[in-house]
Amino acid sequence: RWGSITHSNTYGYDYKYRHISPGSRQQALPGLFFVYKINPYMLRISEDRESFITFLVNLCAIAGGIFAISGLLDSITFNIQMLTKAKEMLLPTRKFDI
């Protein structure tokens, strides 16, 4: 067995801070109050290790994505180079006589 299983309840907390300035006439104590709320839901948290085959498939997917993106970038740069060469061939060259 590769993983572990933990049973836990969901919980939440909230805090409230009450500041009372020394010159005020409020009849309450200053303080920091914490309120915890435990929900009646039971959670089953499990952690499992993936198989070696899954790891290899994920590795091949990453390599394929890198290959596809590099091919796309190569195609874009090649087309930009071809467009600039075609533009240079179509435009007349200017000669400056000094």
Side-chain angles (χ1 to χ4, degrees):
R1 185 172 174 190
W2 293 98
S4 62
I5 296 175
T6 304
H7 294 282
S8 176
N9 288 62
T10 60
Y11 65 92
Y13 71 95
D14 190 19
Y15 69 93
K16 295 179 183 177
Y17 174 75
R18 184 184 299 178
H19 176 73
I20 298 176
S21 60
S24 69
R25 296 183 178 223
Q26 293 181 356
Q27 298 294 324
L29 295 174
L32 183 63
F33 305 98
F34 292 96
V35 178
Y36 289 97
K37 179 182 175 184
I38 297 178
N39 295 327
Y41 305 115
M42 178 66 73
L43 296 178
R44 180 180 173 197
I45 303 167
S46 63
E47 181 179 340
D48 295 327
R49 180 180 282 185
E50 297 291 333
S51 67
F52 186 68
I53 300 293
T54 306
F55 172 72
L56 287 179
V57 168
N58 288 337
L59 195 62
C60 290
I62 291 170
I66 291 171
F67 184 74
I69 295 297
S70 64
L72 180 69
L73 293 176
D74 180 53
S75 173
I76 290 171
T77 55
F78 178 75
N79 287 328
I80 289 173
Q81 287 177 351
M82 288 294 120
L83 286 174
T84 54
K85 284 183 183 178
K87 184 179 176 184
E88 288 173 1
M89 291 176 70
L90 291 176
L91 290 177
T93 57
R94 295 184 184 178
K95 293 184 181 180
F96 296 102
D97 294 327
I98 296 178

